[in-house]
């Protein structure tokens, strides 16, 4: 933990990070999962909603932060070695917090989920930070493009080895997902030991890699949306942020910088949309087209924040974003931990969300609106401790 002192921060980036964390809390904490507006739900499989943009926004912002943090430093080889150690240690700490949140509050090690949001953030952070110190932005661009093309090639053309899950999918035409859900899949055999390459839930090569290599339980019964193989293109999202951060550092004129951010953002959205005609937008697969489209919209929103906050000086409306953006991991961790208090309840006592929903429905509010109001109320609860930290200039760094 450290105090911020007088260290200058890019307010637009803090605000965008904070609004992203607020978005995470809203979509994770509705009053009732039976009453949620469609944009606040993940796309069932192919496609993209506003909710699907939240996680890639955070990885993109993290990439920019890495570039701004290290790009202004002129490190010797010895200093770089020390920086690598700090990067790895920080990545391990973030990963450990993710494991802790997955175990909270029961701490049943037999049900541990090794994959998770913070775990993916830890991996992407460590890889991107080391990459930024090792190679130039041109090499980062080449590596990012290479990852997206290679991932597409594997998903589109590599046959999927048969295992128990794939054999059942081939015989029945269904895959089991979380909470006992069964979804229809369209798969076909390729010889006696493989499925044809596909983008179907649970039957694709990324899901097979998870079942072979990823320990612990999965978020879905047969694969994990934060699994091992899909973390590779997620690194591409972080690299996109690195490149945008390098652009910010290289362009001094504020208006020219914003123009380039908009140009890069809309170009990525366009290219990603075209790519999606052959490799569909899919957050679960973190498809290459999804990387470009989500990264493009991230750049557009960042450009808008730079224009409004850093250039035009409209800071008052962004205060809540700045508060959450100063301590994002704290806000995210608290929102996950306090769900066991405010959402699930204890014993015979229903959670606060159930009380809130019952009262709102009795007052005549529509179910989805009441559910959204509860999510906003929960954001207000998390706001209190992070506001305390922000007001005292305290930034908690893992």
């Amino acid at each position: 933990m450290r105090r911020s002192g007088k260290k200058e921060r890019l307010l637009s980036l803090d605000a965008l990070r904070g609004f992203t964390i607020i978005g995470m809390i809203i979509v994770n904490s509705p009053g009732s999962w039976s009453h949620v507006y469609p944009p606040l739900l993940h796309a069932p499989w192919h496609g993209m909603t506003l909710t699907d943009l939240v996680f890639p926004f955070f990885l993109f912002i993290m990439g920019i932060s890495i570039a701004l943090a290290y790009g202004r430093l002129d490190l010797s080889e010895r200093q770089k070695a020390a920086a690598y150690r700090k990067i790895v240690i920080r990545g391990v700490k973030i990963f450990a917090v993710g494991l802790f949140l997955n175990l909270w509050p029961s701490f049943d090690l037999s049900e541990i989920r090794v994959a998770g949001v913070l775990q993916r953030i830890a991996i992407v952070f460590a890889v991107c930070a080391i990459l930024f110190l090792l190679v130039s932005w041109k090499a980062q661009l080449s590596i990012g493009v290479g990852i997206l093309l290679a991932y597409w090639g594997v998903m589109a053309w590599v046959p999927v080895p048969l295992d128990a899950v794939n054999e059942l999918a081939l015989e029945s035409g269904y895959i089991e997902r979380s909470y006992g859900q069964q979804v229809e899949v369209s798969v076909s055999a390729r010889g006696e030991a493989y499925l044809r390459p596909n983008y179907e839930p649970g039957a694709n090569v990324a899901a097979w890699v998870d079942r072979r290599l990823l320990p612990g339980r999965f978020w879905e019964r047969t694969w994990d949306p934060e699994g091992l193989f899909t973390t590779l293109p997620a690194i591409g999202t972080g690299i996109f942020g690195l490149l945008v951060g390098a652009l910010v550092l290289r362009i001094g004129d504020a208006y020219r910088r914003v123009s380039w951010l908009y140009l890069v953002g809309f170009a990525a959205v366009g290219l990603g949309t075209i790519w999606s005609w052959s490799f569909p937008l899919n957050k679960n697969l973190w498809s290459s087209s999804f990387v470009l489209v989500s990264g493009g919209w991230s750049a557009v929103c960042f450009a808008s924040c730079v224009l409004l906050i850093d250039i035009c000086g409209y800071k008052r409306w962004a205060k809540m974003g700045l508060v959450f953006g100063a301590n994002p991991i704290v806000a995210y961790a608290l929102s996950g931990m306090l769900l066991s208090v405010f959402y699930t309840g204890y014993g015979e006592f229903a959670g606060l969300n159930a009380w809130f929903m019952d009262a709102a429905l009795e007052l005549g509010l529509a179910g989805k609106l009441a559910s959204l109001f509860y999510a906003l109320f929960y954001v207000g609860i998390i706001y209190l401790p992070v506001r305390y930290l922000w007001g005292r200039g305290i930034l908690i760094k893992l």
Side-chain angles (χ1 to χ4, degrees):
M1 182 177 71
R2 67 176 178 81
R3 287 188 171 271
S4 62
K6 296 183 179 180
K7 185 178 179 180
E8 183 180 357
R9 300 181 66 88
L10 188 59
L11 295 182
S12 55
L13 190 62
D14 267 349
L16 183 59
R17 184 189 299 111
F19 289 131
T20 301
I21 292 295
I22 291 170
M24 281 186 176
I25 297 172
I26 290 173
V27 302
N28 288 337
S29 316
S32 169
W33 286 105
S34 300
H35 302 283
V36 183
Y37 289 111
L40 300 181
L41 292 170
H42 290 291
W45 191 243
H46 293 322
M48 191 170 68
T49 69
L50 288 176
T51 298
D52 293 318
L53 290 172
V54 173
F55 195 3
F57 262 51
F58 192 86
L59 295 182
F60 173 87
I61 293 165
M62 184 173 67
I64 298 176
S65 300
I66 291 169
L68 297 184
Y70 292 107
R72 296 187 176 100
L73 303 178
D74 185 14
L75 301 179
S76 66
E77 290 303 316
R78 185 175 180 179
Q79 289 172 323
K80 283 186 178 181
Y84 296 144
R85 288 193 295 271
K86 290 181 179 179
I87 288 166
V88 172
I89 291 171
R90 188 180 184 194
V92 170
K93 288 180 179 179
I94 297 173
F95 197 99
V97 172
L99 291 179
F100 174 84
L101 292 178
N102 283 352
L103 288 169
W104 176 273
S106 64
F107 294 98
D108 182 357
L109 292 176
S110 66
E111 287 294 312
I112 188 172
R113 177 180 174 230
V114 175
V117 170
L118 285 182
Q119 292 90 315
R120 174 165 285 182
I121 288 172
I123 294 170
V124 174
F125 163 76
V127 172
C128 288
I130 292 173
L131 191 64
F132 185 82
L133 292 177
L134 278 176
V135 300
S136 68
W137 71 267
K138 292 181 180 179
Q140 294 164 28
L141 175 61
S142 298
I143 292 170
V145 171
I147 287 174
L148 298 187
L149 290 174
Y151 181 67
W152 178 39
V154 171
M155 294 295 294
W157 294 302
V158 174
V160 186
L162 282 177
D163 58 12
V165 173
N166 288 338
E167 287 179 353
L168 183 60
L170 188 60
E171 293 173 3
S172 67
Y174 288 90
I175 282 283
E176 188 173 0
R177 297 187 67 169
S178 58
Y179 306 107
Q181 296 175 324
Q182 283 192 328
V183 294
E184 187 174 355
V185 294
S186 177
V187 293
S188 59
R190 181 167 180 172
E192 296 182 355
Y194 296 92
L195 292 179
R196 293 186 183 279
N198 68 87
Y199 302 135
E200 296 294 303
N204 58 75
V205 70
W208 178 82
V209 170
D210 286 350
R211 291 194 291 270
R212 293 283 294 179
L213 301 178
L214 184 61
R217 70 175 180 87
F218 298 157
W219 183 258
E220 304 284 358
R221 290 185 63 86
T222 55
W223 84 94
D224 200 292
E226 280 80 50
L228 286 173
F229 197 56
T230 55
T231 296
L232 289 175
I235 292 171
T237 300
I239 292 175
F240 197 156
L242 292 181
L243 296 170
V244 168
L247 183 149
V248 169
L249 290 172
R250 291 172 65 90
I251 300 178
D253 181 75
Y255 287 101
R256 185 165 169 260
R257 178 187 296 169
V258 168
S259 298
W260 271 100
L261 288 173
Y262 277 125
L263 177 62
V264 168
F266 285 122
V269 170
L271 289 173
T273 300
I274 294 171
W275 203 344
S276 71
W277 299 341
S278 59
F279 193 7
L281 296 173
N282 191 302
K283 189 252 180 196
N284 284 275
L285 297 177
W286 214 277
S287 60
S288 301
S289 59
F290 176 77
V291 171
L292 289 181
V293 172
S294 61
W297 286 122
S298 300
V300 169
C301 289
F302 178 48
S304 300
C305 286
V306 171
L307 179 62
L308 293 173
I309 299 173
D310 296 331
I311 295 178
C312 297
Y314 298 138
K315 299 176 183 178
R316 179 173 295 182
W317 69 273
K319 180 178 178 180
M320 196 164 188
L322 295 172
V323 169
F324 277 87
N327 286 288
I329 300 297
V330 173
Y332 179 79
L334 283 175
S335 70
M337 295 174 67
L338 292 181
L339 279 179
S340 61
V341 177
F342 291 96
Y343 204 92
T344 57
Y346 289 99
E348 298 179 357
F349 296 95
L352 180 62
N353 67 302
W355 288 36
F356 187 100
M357 289 295 296
D358 289 343
L361 294 175
E362 287 181 7
L363 291 173
L365 283 181
K368 291 179 180 179
L369 184 59
S371 185
L372 175 58
F373 280 166
Y374 175 80
L376 295 173
F377 169 73
Y378 191 65
V379 169
I381 292 174
I382 306 303
Y383 175 80
L384 297 176
V386 293
R387 175 63 177 82
Y388 175 86
L389 296 174
W390 182 81
R392 283 155 180 76
I394 299 173
L395 306 179
I396 296 180
K397 300 286 187 181
L398 294 179

